[in-house]
């Protein structure tokens, strides 16, 4: 039922920028807080950014000032603009609902920051 499709990842140089996207379906998108999570090899999945239905945002300390989360409630999409990328940002990035349990993860999109 709930379906998330992430896209836009790729290989980028340190200091570069990338925008990734998520298309969501199977739930009332506009009333759900949405978030971007990431998981690096050997690390736990972590929430890096979230946005409420009305656009209030929160960021993990590791990305604050560099990443911007946004959403389009008419398109059921959420975006993550990533600037000043660092090698430590390398991970598979997933979108999801931080306050809902039981959703299946999408396939994620790989972001690799390397020179």
């Amino acid at each position: 039922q709930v379906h998330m499709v992430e896209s836009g990842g790729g290989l980028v140089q340190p200091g570069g920028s990338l925008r990734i996207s998520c298309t969501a379906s199977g739930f009332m998108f506009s009333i759900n807080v949405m978030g971007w999570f990431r998981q690096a090899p050997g690390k736990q999945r972590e929430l890096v950014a979230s946005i409420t239905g009305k656009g209030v945002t929160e960021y993990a300390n590791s990305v604050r000032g560099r990443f911007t989360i946004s959403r389009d409630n008419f398109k059921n999409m959420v975006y993550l603009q990533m600037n000043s990328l660092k090698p430590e940002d390398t991970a598979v990035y997933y979108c999801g609902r931080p306050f809902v349990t039981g959703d299946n993860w999408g396939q994620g999109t790989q972001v690799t920051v390397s020179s």
Side-chain angles (χ1 to χ4, degrees):
Q1 181 68 243
V2 173
H3 194 208
M4 315 284 184
V5 180
E6 300 93 345
S7 63
L11 175 65
V12 64
Q13 301 244 45
S17 297
L18 202 63
R19 190 177 83 150
I20 56 176
S21 303
C22 171
T23 301
S25 61
F27 62 97
M28 295 295 291
F29 180 83
S30 64
I31 64 168
N32 275 262
V33 177
M34 295 297 298
W36 281 100
F37 302 76
R38 68 185 183 189
Q39 188 166 29
K43 308 292 185 182
Q44 289 206 40
R45 197 188 310 265
E46 63 171 337
L47 178 66
V48 299
S50 66
I51 183 168
T52 72
K54 294 294 182 69
V56 178
T57 60
E58 298 283 351
Y59 298 94
N61 290 337
S62 57
V63 309
R64 187 175 294 108
R66 300 187 298 119
F67 290 11
T68 303
I69 188 171
S70 60
R71 68 192 294 159
D72 185 338
N73 287 336
F74 296 98
K75 295 182 177 180
N76 285 12
M77 294 189 71
V78 60
Y79 309 93
L80 188 68
Q81 177 67 47
M82 301 178 287
N83 299 325
S84 302
L85 282 161
K86 305 174 180 180
E88 309 92 84
D89 296 318
T90 296
V92 179
Y93 284 72
Y94 303 87
C95 61
R97 299 191 287 176
F99 297 130
V100 175
T101 58
D103 286 351
N104 291 322
W105 298 104
Q107 81 285 354
T109 188
Q110 175 73 50
V111 173
T112 302
V113 184
S114 177
S115 56

